[in-house]
Amino acid sequence: MTIRVLIADDQELVRTGFQMILDAQPDMEVVATAANGAEAVEHARRLRPDVCLLDIRMPKLDGLEATRLLAGPGARDPMRVVIVTTFDLDEYVYGALRAGATGFLLKDSGPTLLIEAIRAAAAGDALVSPSVTVRLLEHLARPRHGGGRPPSEPLTEREFDVVRLVARGRTNQEIAAELFVSLSTVKTHLGSIQAKLGARNRVEVAAWAWESGVVG
């Protein structure tokens, strides 16, 4: 299966570089590029790519607002968005993930991590730059008044096991291996967990786990 990707960045050199890297992969195809956020949203809604790569700072519409429109709470049939930026600022990281992004990478992460992030997003997993992950988890682990929102139904013991591993950054395959269950079983558990928590993606599941003290 070919992963269809949209690239949005206001720098032509970056767009061209990313396209060369991705088009060289046997399982990826760049279906569109955009120089600003408004163009990215228009292309994404028309072409329905599997993964959207968005920069943070773009003219007309920034990457955070574009992410909200494509993957946020009000989006119909949310898309998978990976933010790729030079700006390693916590406010951007939290803003992107809260807006619905399934990944956050720095542009100096290298082509290998970029490719892994796209494959992870296409598979329903999440990937955040290692340098960002530690700070992100520390931020989410800070005590909150009231903690995370309660689930609509109690989680089962096995679902808590899955939540803890998701919060530690494990992929579905890694969770399946650690819990000695099939990949389809993990996906079933994750679907149930997201429904009970009202979470749109595994990033929000991880955030809930840290905010609620399920992991620490």
Side-chain angles (χ1 to χ4, degrees):
M1 174 186 163
T2 300
I3 301 170
R4 301 167 67 253
V5 184
L6 176 145
I7 299 170
D9 196 290
D10 60 343
Q11 297 181 51
E12 185 178 359
L13 191 61
V14 173
R15 295 196 304 273
T16 302
F18 283 170
Q19 182 161 6
M20 289 176 65
I21 292 168
L22 302 185
D23 279 342
Q25 305 307 308
D27 59 341
M28 294 183 191
E29 175 192 4
V30 176
V31 295
T33 61
N36 62 67
E39 200 175 83
V41 170
E42 190 274 324
H43 286 333
R45 285 175 170 168
R46 178 170 52 86
L47 298 170
R48 300 294 306 177
D50 299 305
V51 179
C52 301
L53 283 185
L54 304 182
D55 186 21
I56 289 275
R57 291 187 181 175
M58 292 188 289
K60 296 188 179 180
L61 197 68
D62 67 33
L64 295 181
E65 186 57 33
T67 299
R68 287 188 195 96
L69 292 173
L70 296 175
R76 291 179 58 190
D77 196 10
M79 299 187 203
R80 288 161 182 168
V81 175
V82 174
I83 295 290
V84 187
T85 185
T86 53
F87 303 103
D88 184 13
L89 300 176
D90 288 352
E91 62 186 281
Y92 285 153
V93 180
Y94 311 141
L97 297 180
R98 293 300 189 193
T102 56
F104 190 101
L105 292 180
L106 301 179
K107 287 181 181 174
D108 61 4
S109 297
T112 300
L113 208 57
L114 174 67
I115 292 163
E116 286 180 9
I118 292 172
R119 288 187 179 133
D125 290 330
L127 193 152
V128 177
S129 283
S131 60
V132 173
T133 301
V134 174
R135 294 202 319 275
L136 177 66
L137 296 185
E138 285 176 349
H139 171 81
L140 294 174
R142 291 174 194 157
R144 304 287 183 92
H145 295 295
R149 63 191 177 282
S152 59
E153 296 178 41
L155 270 60
T156 66
E157 186 175 340
R158 181 57 91 187
E159 286 171 346
F160 273 116
D161 291 338
V162 172
V163 166
R164 291 184 189 99
L165 292 173
V166 167
R168 296 290 184 187
R170 304 289 197 275
T171 66
N172 286 353
Q173 288 184 324
E174 290 169 340
I175 293 171
E178 289 195 38
L179 297 181
F180 301 102
V181 296
S182 68
L183 187 58
S184 61
T185 298
V186 172
K187 291 179 179 178
T188 299
H189 284 316
L190 199 51
S192 174
I193 291 163
Q194 288 180 208
K196 289 179 179 180
L197 298 181
R200 289 165 293 163
N201 52 52
R202 66 196 298 118
V203 174
E204 290 192 354
V205 172
W208 177 85
W210 286 95
E211 289 171 348
S212 303
V214 174
V215 287

